Amino acid sequence: MDYPEPRIYVAGHRGLVGSAIVRALRARGHAQIVTRTHEELELTDQDAVRAFFRGERIDQVYLAAARVGGIHANNSYPAQFIYDNLMVQTNVVHEAWRAGVGRLLFLGSSCIYPRLARQPIREDYLMEGGLEPTNEPYAVAKIAGIKLCESYNRQYGTDFRSVMPTNLYGPGDNYHPQNSHVIPALVRRFHEAKAGGASEVVIWGSGKPMREFMYVDDMAAACVHVMSLAPEDYAAHTEPMHSHINVGTGTDVSIHDLAHLVGEVVGFEGRIVFDASKPDGTPRKLLDVSKLRALGWSASTPLREGLRRAYDAYLAAQVADVAA
């Protein structure tokens, strides 16, 4: 029996995560992909979101739209991080339910877990302790997003799912000098140091924290896999009030080793210095991905290879900017 092609709305399709999901969907032959730019649809505006869902017959939603950033951005704009993310999530989830959307996937973040969570971090460690202060507003918003989906499932019988990706990197990343995450920040700084002939690069923090990093196209493949699961298979590996699934590689690396690896990939030959007077953030953050593996999916891109692809994408973007 032939089934109609689903119309899939990817919220945040221009971002690191959303653009990777669009690539993954297209690679699997999906042609009915609906997107809107920020200028075309303001997701913090409930009336605009309601009108969008009324006007489009949407079958599935990937909720990848979010205000994101590194330690500096989270510390500098806490009100914007909590307000914007709460509003986007609330509007999209509520209006998707009102419009009868069949399935929705909410993308959170591994920062939802306690700062000193047991390692590796299992899904049921959520809310066992205090959050990392430097990104608490963002983390609280993401926790609310999980509970929003769970609550609609419990009350209305919806099929709204949640995944919690680890730290992501790759094509489409944000390379802003202050507001980016660690890998794009390192790529830009090492590239500029190499181009400028600098003898050293100074990195924030001691270099001791351990982090897990995942190539964004692996994450997108995992999201499509989770969305494709039969409801009974998803339910068999989750609980109504612990329904999110970790998405990661299951391995981590110190910031010290990561910096040296990025330096090698970029070709920087100078000295790398760590400024321990700057904040480190969470000491370690490694996700337990046993649920995802039990559901039939594992990451496939090694860190060095992913970094090489990310640097190639950065160079291509630089060339495109010059040409423009």
Side-chain angles (χ1 to χ4, degrees), residues 15-174:
L16 171 68
V17 173
S19 60
I21 289 173
V22 170
R23 288 195 297 273
L25 290 169
R26 286 176 176 161
R28 287 156 181 78
H30 291 287
Q32 298 287 329
I33 301 174
V34 179
T35 60
R36 292 291 187 276
T37 65
H38 179 77
E39 292 74 23
E40 292 169 334
L41 177 58
E42 173 54 71
L43 293 177
T44 62
D45 181 340
Q46 185 175 19
D47 290 338
V49 177
R50 181 170 299 174
F52 165 76
F53 277 103
R54 281 178 174 171
E56 298 284 346
R57 182 187 61 77
I58 301 298
D59 300 300
Q60 297 180 11
V61 174
Y62 287 82
L63 181 42
R67 175 177 289 276
V68 299
I71 290 176
H72 176 82
N74 275 274
N75 269 334
S76 300
Y77 315 112
Q80 288 175 262
F81 271 80
I82 194 167
Y83 176 84
D84 287 353
N85 286 299
L86 285 172
M87 292 300 292
V88 167
Q89 296 161 190
T90 301
N91 290 339
V92 173
V93 169
H94 185 69
E95 298 307 329
W97 163 70
R98 284 172 59 94
V101 169
R103 192 169 294 177
L104 178 146
L105 186 72
F106 170 69
L107 284 91
S109 166
S110 59
C111 72
I112 63 168
Y113 293 112
R115 180 177 186 272
L116 299 177
R118 291 171 285 164
Q119 305 289 320
I121 307 171
R122 292 181 2 193
E123 287 86 351
D124 57 0
Y125 294 172
L126 181 65
M127 295 193 292
E128 278 194 343
L131 299 166
E132 164 58 39
T134 57
N135 59 20
E136 183 187 75
Y138 177 76
V140 167
K142 289 299 182 180
I143 293 170
I146 297 171
K147 296 304 175 184
L148 190 66
C149 290
E150 290 177 350
S151 298
Y152 276 67
N153 290 343
R154 292 167 59 208
Q155 184 168 345
Y156 301 123
T158 51
D159 188 0
F160 293 171
R161 308 174 182 189
S162 299
V163 292
M164 298 301 114
T166 189
N167 301 292
L168 303 171
Y169 69 97
D173 219 333
N174 169 26

Side-chain angles (χ1 to χ4, degrees), residues 240-259:
M241 296 182 70
H242 272 296
S243 67
H244 61 287
I245 295 177
N246 290 338
V247 176
T249 64
T251 60
D252 57 1
V253 62
S254 71
I255 297 299
H256 174 277
D257 291 349
L258 173 70

